[in-house]
Amino acid sequence: MKHVILGNGPAGVIAAETLRRAAPTDDILLFGSEDAPPYSRMAIPYLLEGNIDESGTWLRKSPGHFDRLRIHEVRGRAVSLDSDGRRILFDDGHFESWDRLLIATGSHPVRPPIPGIDLPEVQTCWTLEDARAIARFATPGARVLQLGAGFIGCIIMEALAARGVELTVVEMGDRMVPRMMTPTAGGMIRKWVEDQGVRVVTNAGVSRIDCRASNDAPLDVTLSTGEVVVADLVIVAAGVAPNIAFLEATPVHVAKGVLVDDRLQTSVPGIFAAGDVAEAPDLFTGAHLVAAIQPNAADQARVAALNMAGHEARLKGVLAINVLDTLGLISSSFGQWWGEERERGGAGVEHVDASAYRYLSLQFKDDVLIGATSIGLTEHVGALRGLIHGRVRLGEWKERLLHSPLQFVDAYIARSQQPMALAR
Ligand SMILES: Cc1cc2nc3c(=O)[nH]c(=O)nc-3n(C[C@H](O)[C@H](O)[C@H](O)COP(=O)(O)OP(=O)(O)OC[C@H]3O[C@@H](n4cnc5c(N)ncnc54)[C@H](O)[C@@H]3O)c2cc1C
């Protein structure tokens, strides 16, 4: 059996290793399209902070790791797929055949169609190559304009602050992290970063980026408000899109990402997908969802690989989890954090302690916790995750939590130990 894995990020690497354990004699080819050993994008902020060097981002550090496992590493970008003929065309013109295929090509940062977006001082923060460019421009005192205050935008702020830059963040939404945090939580994160000297402009976009005549400040960034901000570097963190171009005109069903079932198989038998590129069924609704975080990539890769090896494995359902460290303020959101309509059994509660930067929002459907947002409750987020992921039936604890939401750890201990408390 010959397994071809497209993409050598966390999903591709974990799938290859799982396959090797599950299918000791099969052929495994691991394709990567970047000129770097398999690495973790998660480590890029630490690289920019100077805490690690590039080798610190590598997913596997021991020399010969893949050779020892007889995982054949190949450099190549898939450009088209012939699903009937079971072969793929790569950018160097060669075809590769497969018996089982895993699509683990991740996603790429979106560059909005803004005049000037391709100037050299305008960078995304996604690859090692991006990190090298940012490191060149983001020198102490440099004026940096960051476009977007979403997940990646917040994560990289710490690294930018450590580099001593003067940072302005421009966000289209009405608050920071609008697609992951409640308005109250987004407002608290904003206040936190502003107190640390970051300028935040919400409800605004970038209309154009122009080179200035003089060399001392290369860019004039015009905002949708009409304001012009002078910047030495613009970092675009305006969202990502799955790498699926090579699947065009194939029978592999795609929506935002590649649609998979709970075995991580696509609409074409023998072709699987995992990680940031995959849209798998959500834990609660069954609707398909891209959950672009590394633990999710790892879980999906394991399940996909076991099925590729002929075993039976199923994903319980994706739970969207986002844990953010924004200049030292830890926030998290889980599941359906925005809640459920009252007519459909929805109820919610918020606890706000603005001065201590502590916040909790709990969202229920019937007596099950379906979503949560928290700030500053780092030591207990495991209990929140456990309640939501386990779909624990709270019984009388629901009313108690609606009155005293901070008692969620007690609820978790009390209810998760009762087998009957698990919802179907
Ligand atoms: C700056 C930053 C910070 C992050 N921080 C966190 C964090 O704190 N926590 C967290 O959980 N997640 C974090 N993430 C997200 C996390 O990195 C991703 O969820 C994870 O990398 C997904 O793994 P993946 O293997 O699916 O995709 P990727 O890591 O993107 O790997 C995909 C691979 O496929 C290759 N590829 C693409 N197209 C093709 C093609 N056509 N043919 C062959 N190969 C191809 C790519 O070059 C790449 O090597 C962060 C991401 C960034 C950018």
Side-chain angles (χ1 to χ4, degrees):
M1 186 73 83
K2 178 176 172 186
H3 303 272
V4 168
I5 298 174
L6 300 177
N8 62 354
V13 165
I14 288 168
E17 293 168 346
T18 308
L19 264 172
R20 175 49 72 231
R21 279 193 295 277
T25 57
D26 286 1
D27 288 338
I28 304 171
L29 274 69
L30 178 62
F31 281 86
S33 62
E34 291 174 45
D35 287 322
Y39 69 93
S40 169
R41 306 195 189 289
M42 258 182 83
I44 287 175
Y46 305 104
L47 174 67
L48 284 172
E49 275 180 56
N51 294 339
I52 54 171
D53 61 15
E54 282 198 16
S55 67
T57 69
W58 297 349
L59 284 164
R60 300 293 176 261
K61 297 186 178 64
S62 67
H65 171 82
F66 294 102
D67 287 344
R68 264 199 306 284
L69 292 175
R70 286 169 290 112
I71 294 168
H72 185 45
E73 289 186 273
V74 197
R75 161 77 179 75
R77 174 176 290 276
V79 291
S80 75
L81 178 83
D82 167 9
S83 57
D84 290 340
R86 292 190 165 241
R87 47 185 213 149
I88 313 159
L89 175 64
F90 285 89
D91 52 354
D92 62 358
H94 97 277
F95 284 92
E96 196 70 56
S97 62
W98 83 83
D99 296 310
R100 295 279 183 278
L101 177 69
L102 178 68
I103 301 166
T105 48
S107 46
H108 62 274
V110 172
R111 280 181 175 253
I114 297 169
I117 197 86
D118 292 322
L119 288 166
E121 299 89 351
V122 181
Q123 291 291 330
T124 53
C125 184
W126 198 253
T127 61
L128 282 179
E129 205 180 323
D130 292 345
R132 289 177 209 128
I134 290 173
R136 266 201 312 280
F137 292 113
T139 48
R143 290 151 294 188
V144 177
L145 184 138
Q146 183 180 295
L147 174 52
F151 181 66
I152 300 296
C154 284
I155 282 179
I156 61 180
M157 262 183 220
E158 179 97 36
L160 292 172
R163 298 186 71 84
V165 307
E166 202 181 286
L167 183 60
T168 301
V169 176
V170 178
E171 164 60 48
M172 292 276 271
D174 63 351
R175 59 184 188 273
M176 292 187 65
V177 240
R179 281 171 297 281
M180 279 176 201
M181 297 279 158
T182 62
T184 311
M188 285 170 85
I189 297 172
R190 177 181 186 150
K191 181 160 186 328
W192 177 268
V193 301
E194 284 179 338
D195 284 352
Q196 298 190 50
V198 176
R199 180 171 176 232
V200 180
V201 186
T202 49
N203 295 307
V206 169
S207 315
R208 55 180 305 116
I209 306 167
D210 296 290
C211 279
R212 295 183 113 200
S214 76
N215 283 337
D216 68 321
L219 303 175
D220 273 341
V221 185
T222 307
L223 307 189
S224 55
T225 55
E227 181 187 347
V228 178
V229 180
V230 176
D232 301 291
L233 168 67
V234 174
I235 298 180
V236 179
V240 298
N243 291 322
I244 52 174
F246 66 100
L247 296 173
E248 216 171 277
T250 71
V252 176
H253 291 174
V254 296
K256 192 168 176 240
V258 180
L259 296 170
V260 291
D261 60 18
D262 61 355
R263 298 175 62 238
L264 280 308
Q265 187 162 239
T266 68
S267 52
V268 177
I271 303 183
F272 295 76
D276 280 10
V277 76
E279 264 195 76
D282 173 74
L283 179 67
F284 291 104
T285 62
H288 283 75
L289 169 80
V290 175
I293 55 167
Q294 189 162 316
N296 180 56
D299 288 348
Q300 293 189 353
R302 279 188 206 99
V303 173
L306 288 172
N307 285 298
M308 289 166 77
H311 297 276
E312 178 67 20
R314 288 182 192 271
L315 196 74
K316 192 174 169 197
V318 176
L319 174 64
I321 301 178
N322 297 291
V323 180
L324 267 181
D325 179 345
T326 314
L327 291 177
L329 184 67
I330 310 293
S331 58
S332 60
S333 69
F334 300 86
Q336 202 173 324
W337 55 267
W338 59 94
E340 179 60 276
E341 286 168 27
R342 210 159 263 286
E343 305 78 62
R344 295 166 53 99
V349 61
E350 264 192 336
H351 166 89
V352 186
D353 184 349
S355 57
Y357 283 101
R358 283 168 77 82
Y359 170 79
L360 180 64
S361 158
L362 300 180
Q363 298 297 329
F364 304 88
K365 180 172 167 52
D366 305 323
D367 71 341
V368 175
L369 188 66
I370 55 165
T373 313
S374 82
I375 291 181
L377 297 164
T378 42
E379 66 278 30
H380 301 310
V381 289
L384 278 180
R385 182 186 192 278
L387 281 171
I388 299 170
H389 198 241
R391 296 199 269 179
V392 175
R393 296 210 81 121
L394 290 159
E396 74 279 5
W397 272 96
K398 177 189 167 185
E399 282 308 313
R400 280 199 227 174
L401 289 176
L402 282 172
H403 287 105
S404 311
L406 291 178
Q407 285 188 13
F408 67 88
V409 179
D410 300 328
Y412 179 59
I413 293 167
R415 296 299 292 173
S416 63
Q417 288 161 4
Q418 299 184 13
M420 296 308 286
L422 295 184
R424 258 166 271 285

